[in-house]
Amino acid sequence: MMRKDKKRFKVAMIGHKRVPSREGGIEVVVEELSVRMVERGLKVDVYNRKDRFGKAYKQPREYKGIRIIQIPTFKVSALNAFVYSVLASFRALFGGYDCIHYHAEGPCAMMWLPKLFGIHTVATIHGLDWQRAKWGGFSTKYLKLGEKCASKYADELIVLSNNNQKYFKETYGRDTHLIPNGIVKKNADYPARDISEIFGLQKDGYILFLARIVPEKGLHYLIEAFKAVETNKKLVIAGDLTPGNEYVEKIKKMASEDERIILTGFVQGRLLDELFSNCYIYVLPSDIEGLAMSLLESVSYGVPCLVSDIPENMEVVGEYMPSFKHGDIQDLSVKLDKILKGEYSDIWKKENFETILKKYDWEKIADQTTALYKKGK
């Protein structure tokens, strides 16, 4: 008689928007982790939000061995995450999971529920979301509640930076696991084909900002600093430009005042590969980060970076890439000007990128995370 296969370890992922998707860093992380968990023999369900920008969004039922479960949400953005996390958490109670992995502070507000039923829980805090400028009163309180629930109910709590690890220890007395996001070295040999045809861009002819268009990313600093620099290079801003958003409208107005600034909107696939592969330098002027996936991606393409000097950015680039004082437009402008004049030639050294890449190995990260999942067995 044949022996039956051992039951596969089953995990649920809750907290992202959609997989597959590049709507934010969390979505990239959930996909990268889930794919590797499947490769390690785990069964993974990801709980996607059903609506995208208030419209029906067709999603696959399976992706790279991952089962996709859709959770309906309200179209009102303030209620979207709240309703999603409640419904996803109740649905997950009946999924037979060995572990539920919550991502981001908001969804962690429901961690008490699986904890009540004795399900092993892991939480990843991707950043202190309540600090971000876009949130109003209710959302801020909800995010702080999620943070408190994560510190109290998570069996294992993951943070992405030393700064956040210190915060949880000092604020809640909670020990955490420092497991950063990962990167995979990319093929940077993408000639400027589509970006040349669509946007008129050429190799090394532009500075790149690629991230969400939100206040905490500091894009307004970059635009002001760029305007003060004498250069024929362009500033390319790649990110979703959803109409009606107050900050997005502000950025559009600022960009319209300088013909060297190009707004591409949201990009992915070949366009994204070409933008990273052909830019002269990538700039991330953020005030707040957890661990910026766009910064890690720029390194994976071998693109030199200029970043604000917040701890989360400096943990990534260390002494290998230049930085400027966050929020200081003049310092950013001076550093940009020096880079464009070739005064930071060391940032193009291949060994700089190799050193950073070694710190953020997805395979090692997946192994560390899997070990936390199985501590509950």
Side-chain angles (χ1 to χ4, degrees):
M1 184 176 179
M2 291 184 65
R3 185 179 177 180
K4 290 184 178 180
D5 291 336
K6 185 179 179 181
K7 178 179 176 290
R8 291 170 67 189
F9 192 93
K10 193 173 182 182
V11 179
M13 298 280 192
I14 296 175
H16 59 288
K17 294 185 179 71
R18 276 156 290 275
V19 168
S21 165
R22 288 193 53 87
E23 292 174 59
I26 295 176
E27 285 68 44
V28 175
V29 171
V30 170
E31 178 179 337
E32 294 286 355
L33 271 181
S34 297
V35 168
R36 285 167 176 79
M37 296 302 171
V38 170
E39 291 172 351
R40 283 159 174 74
L42 280 64
K43 187 174 182 180
V44 181
D45 291 351
V46 297
Y47 282 67
N48 282 6
R49 304 183 199 187
K50 192 172 184 179
D51 290 321
R52 183 178 187 268
F53 305 134
K55 296 180 180 179
Y57 178 55
K58 188 175 181 180
Q59 302 176 34
R61 293 185 178 181
E62 186 174 311
Y63 175 73
K64 295 185 177 180
I66 306 162
R67 187 167 72 133
I68 294 173
I69 298 172
Q70 295 187 44
I71 300 297
T73 57
F74 283 135
K75 296 178 182 179
V76 180
S77 59
L79 296 174
N80 188 295
F82 170 71
V83 173
Y84 158 78
S85 59
V86 171
L87 295 180
S89 296
F90 274 101
R91 167 67 175 78
L93 290 180
F94 305 96
Y97 297 110
D98 298 291
C99 177
I100 299 178
H101 189 166
Y102 283 83
H103 293 265
E105 289 187 330
C108 286
M110 289 300 296
M111 291 197 78
W112 60 271
L113 185 62
K115 184 73 172 181
L116 186 66
F117 285 81
I119 301 173
H120 186 65
T121 56
V122 174
T124 296
I125 302 300
H126 293 257
L128 304 181
D129 292 335
W130 56 268
Q131 294 180 343
R132 304 183 192 277
K134 68 177 181 177
W135 303 116
F138 170 78
S139 296
T140 299
K141 291 177 181 178
Y142 180 65
L143 291 169
K144 285 186 176 180
L145 173 63
E147 178 179 289
K148 291 176 182 177
C149 287
S151 66
K152 183 176 181 179
Y153 297 115
D155 291 303
E156 308 295 338
L157 184 57
I158 299 170
V159 294
L160 307 183
S161 68
N162 285 301
N163 201 38
N164 283 355
Q165 189 169 49
K166 181 181 178 182
Y167 170 81
F168 273 91
K169 186 64 175 178
E170 292 180 349
T171 306
Y172 302 103
R174 175 67 198 249
D175 291 325
T176 58
H177 303 276
L178 178 56
I179 306 178
N181 296 330
I183 41 178
V184 176
K185 188 175 181 179
K186 301 290 178 63
N187 172 19
D189 188 23
Y190 288 91
R193 185 191 71 190
D194 293 352
I195 60 172
S196 177
E197 181 179 338
I198 299 171
F199 305 113
L201 298 172
Q202 302 298 329
K203 177 71 174 177
D204 291 334
Y206 59 96
I207 296 160
L208 178 64
F209 171 93
L210 189 151
R212 290 178 298 119
I213 311 297
V214 290
E216 60 268 18
K217 293 293 183 181
L219 177 54
H220 48 292
Y221 305 138
L222 176 56
I223 293 175
E224 292 293 352
F226 176 75
K227 288 178 179 179
V229 176
E230 292 185 15
T231 180
N232 292 325
K233 295 190 189 298
K234 300 183 183 300
L235 171 60
V236 174
I237 297 170
D240 181 50
L241 297 167
T242 304
N245 180 285
E246 184 178 345
Y247 185 71
V248 169
E249 296 305 319
K250 174 184 176 179
I251 293 301
K252 287 180 179 178
K253 184 177 185 304
M254 293 177 72
S256 69
E257 297 166 355
D258 191 322
E259 61 182 12
R260 299 173 298 168
I261 300 177
I262 297 174
L263 301 174
T264 69
F266 178 76
V267 296
Q268 58 185 343
R270 172 82 191 198
L271 275 178
L272 182 141
D273 290 328
E274 288 190 22
L275 283 175
F276 269 127
S277 298
N278 294 284
C279 71
Y280 186 75
I281 190 166
Y282 174 80
V283 182
L284 184 65
S286 40
D287 284 326
I288 300 170
E289 287 291 352
L291 179 58
M293 284 303 301
S294 58
L295 176 57
L296 295 180
E297 284 187 304
S298 69
V299 174
S300 74
Y301 283 90
V303 176
C305 312
L306 172 62
V307 302
S308 59
D309 64 354
I310 61 175
E312 292 80 1
N313 288 344
M314 298 309 296
E315 278 187 43
V316 176
V317 303
E319 72 273 21
Y320 303 105
M321 302 285 172
S323 63
F324 68 95
K325 185 176 180 181
H326 75 277
D328 190 327
I329 294 171
Q330 183 177 358
D331 190 33
L332 173 53
S333 184
V334 168
K335 295 290 173 57
L336 271 178
D337 188 58
K338 287 183 177 181
I339 289 169
L340 294 172
K341 290 177 178 176
E343 295 187 28
Y344 284 91
S345 57
D346 284 354
I347 62 177
W348 274 267
K349 286 183 178 180
K350 183 179 179 180
E351 52 264 37
N352 289 354
F353 299 98
E354 296 296 335
T355 300
I356 296 172
L357 281 166
K358 288 177 182 177
K359 294 167 56 181
Y360 301 97
D361 180 355
W362 267 125
E363 298 303 326
K364 178 181 177 182
I365 290 162
D367 286 340
Q368 291 175 321
T369 307
T370 303
L372 295 185
Y373 289 171
K374 296 187 175 182
K375 285 181 73 172
K377 297 301 287 184

